[in-house]
Amino acid sequence: MRVLGIESSCDECAAAVVEDGRTILSDIVASQVPFHADYQGVVPELASRMHAEWIYTVAKRALDQAGTRAADLDGIAVTVMPGLLGSLLVGLSFAKGLAWSLGLPFIGVNHILAHLYAPRLDTASPPDYPFLGLVVSGGHSIICRVEDFDRIEILGTTIDDAAGEAFDKVSKHYGFGYPGGAAIDALAATGDETAFAFPKPTLNKGQRRYDLSYSGLKTAAIRQLEQYRRPGAVVSKENIAASFRKAAIDILADRLLKAAEDTGLTTIVAAGGVAANSYLRSLLGSKKELDVRFPALSLCGDNGAMVAGIGCKYLERGEHSGFDLNVSARVPLYRSFGRKEA
Ligand code: KG4
Ligand code: ZN
């Protein structure tokens, strides 16, 4: 089954063709990063307009690169939640138009589930369900038990900023570059991670056991630097970046490893833009008792392949969406759905 996947939930205009939910035949990602860089953040109005301009060319390139005619597709998958409404609407409307004109089934998919599907692509040994999932991006920080491609149970989420958002805000404050995650990661490579002892959130009990919080760390990193400076430590951008990166990632790893211990799940899948973080990759990768899977770097950020891949699974089951399908900025159930008392 050959599926075209369309992703336009934020600032990546992406399309890909995937076969049988596993093999990537093409993967085109047109990033809007340079256009939002002046604003140090994604401007929703600009994003949706650019998607409207680019979506046809991006989809056409994905088909060409895959050597597939649109008429030879078996279906179309498109991200419909969560994300920026205007941007999502461009992708959905394009997918509907294409599906209607070709008489193809189409399916709307959840971006979070699509990120968790990414490590199943182009691999001979996909992770077995159930596994522990970590979805960390600019808009989400979720620790969940993943039962199947379409079923997750939320164990913890952030109570304030998302992990990627914290990277972006700290980077913006210091002018380290945009987007912040990759800029801080690069600077941190030559910094001293012990220069600043930033505070850790203390959400360790009961229901909040796996929850995350970044506002305290963010404030400490941008406003109270001196307070957390180790005696003798040099205030340099590399040292700020390295200490912040360590503190931000240690929060994630701490919660995740706690969840692994409590649930007994030994396979972990880390997905989303922050999963590209080199310190996170080496920290989790060093846990030999766990089978930690990271998607290829090209599949960590937003892409159409993960959308096509998961879409294929729904279409294989005979499921598809109706032409009255709409988009949603949020996934409201995520805050309470399946939350367990720990
Ligand atoms: O998944 P993604 O491409 O888009 C969203 O759905 O948000 O994630 C983007 C986020 C941004 O906040 C970016 O700063 C962060 O991922 N990011 C990183 C790294 N590369 C991207 N954060 C930490 N370290 C990185 N190497
Ligand atoms: Zn994403």
Side-chain angles (χ1 to χ4, degrees):
M1 178 178 269
R2 219 165 249 211
V3 175
L4 173 70
I6 292 169
E7 161 62 42
S8 67
S9 64
C10 191
D11 60 341
E12 254 84 48
C13 188
V17 179
V18 169
E19 188 142 79
D20 297 333
R22 296 190 63 159
T23 311
I24 301 175
L25 301 182
S26 66
D27 187 17
I28 305 289
V29 180
S31 172
Q32 301 177 356
V33 161
F35 301 89
H36 297 288
D38 281 352
Y39 308 92
Q40 297 280 304
V42 178
V43 183
E45 279 295 312
L46 274 183
S48 47
R49 285 176 209 206
M50 265 182 272
H51 285 306
E53 267 177 48
W54 295 1
I55 191 87
Y56 166 79
T57 308
V58 167
K60 174 86 171 61
R61 278 196 197 153
L63 289 168
D64 289 348
Q65 197 182 80
T68 303
R69 291 182 318 141
D72 294 334
L73 290 170
D74 298 294
I76 296 167
V78 58
T79 302
V80 291
M81 71 171 90
L84 302 172
L85 286 177
S87 294
L88 288 167
L89 281 168
V90 174
L92 175 61
S93 302
F94 183 81
K96 280 183 183 177
L98 195 59
W100 190 33
S101 66
L102 296 166
L104 288 176
F106 81 99
I107 181 87
V109 308
N110 176 322
H111 185 81
I112 305 296
L113 298 183
H115 270 303
L116 288 166
Y117 190 87
R120 312 193 76 73
L121 295 162
D122 272 357
T123 176
S125 58
D128 288 330
Y129 294 111
F131 57 77
L132 201 58
L134 174 73
V135 183
V136 272
S137 68
H140 310 281
S141 303
I142 292 173
I143 293 173
C144 56
R145 181 186 168 94
V146 184
E147 297 290 349
D148 207 338
F149 73 90
D150 61 343
R151 249 177 324 125
I152 64 174
E153 177 190 343
I154 302 294
L155 301 173
T157 64
T158 179
I159 61 159
D160 39 59
D161 292 344
E165 200 180 347
F167 273 92
D168 293 339
K169 284 180 181 165
V170 169
S171 184
K172 180 177 178 178
H173 179 82
Y174 287 108
F176 288 166
Y178 173 82
I184 288 180
D185 206 8
L187 278 173
T190 53
D192 172 5
E193 63 184 24
T194 66
F196 301 90
F198 290 131
K200 290 193 161 87
T202 49
L203 293 165
N204 288 325
K205 301 203 182 73
Q207 269 211 325
R208 291 263 150 104
R209 197 166 155 72
Y210 310 114
D211 275 348
L212 305 155
S213 166
Y214 280 101
S215 69
L217 170 62
K218 187 187 67 190
T219 310
I222 67 184
R223 295 207 206 290
Q224 298 155 24
L225 217 48
E226 282 307 318
Q227 195 180 326
Y228 299 104
R229 184 176 162 195
R230 283 252 164 79
V234 176
V235 181
S236 69
K237 53 185 182 180
E238 289 80 7
N239 287 354
I240 297 169
S243 303
F244 170 77
R245 178 180 73 171
K246 176 170 167 45
I249 298 298
D250 283 350
I251 296 172
L252 283 182
D254 174 74
R255 302 298 194 272
L256 190 65
L257 297 175
K258 207 177 272 170
E261 205 180 309
D262 294 352
T263 58
L265 294 171
T266 53
T267 302
I268 294 180
V269 165
V274 182
N277 187 270
S278 55
Y279 174 65
L280 176 69
R281 291 174 95 91
S282 68
L283 181 66
L284 293 182
S286 71
K287 307 285 172 201
K288 296 297 169 218
E289 67 284 12
L290 299 172
D291 174 14
V292 185
R293 310 290 187 96
F294 289 97
L297 280 180
S298 61
L299 296 174
C300 279
D302 292 347
N303 64 86
M306 64 185 191
V307 177
I310 191 172
C312 184
K313 292 287 143 197
Y314 289 104
L315 293 165
E316 275 174 0
R317 277 200 316 215
E319 285 178 41
H320 60 87
S321 302
F323 281 99
D324 58 350
L325 181 66
N326 214 329
V327 298
S328 170
R330 297 183 187 285
V331 187
L333 289 178
Y334 275 152
R335 280 230 158 251
S336 54
F337 172 68
R339 185 189 283 280
K340 273 192 177 156
E341 288 286 341

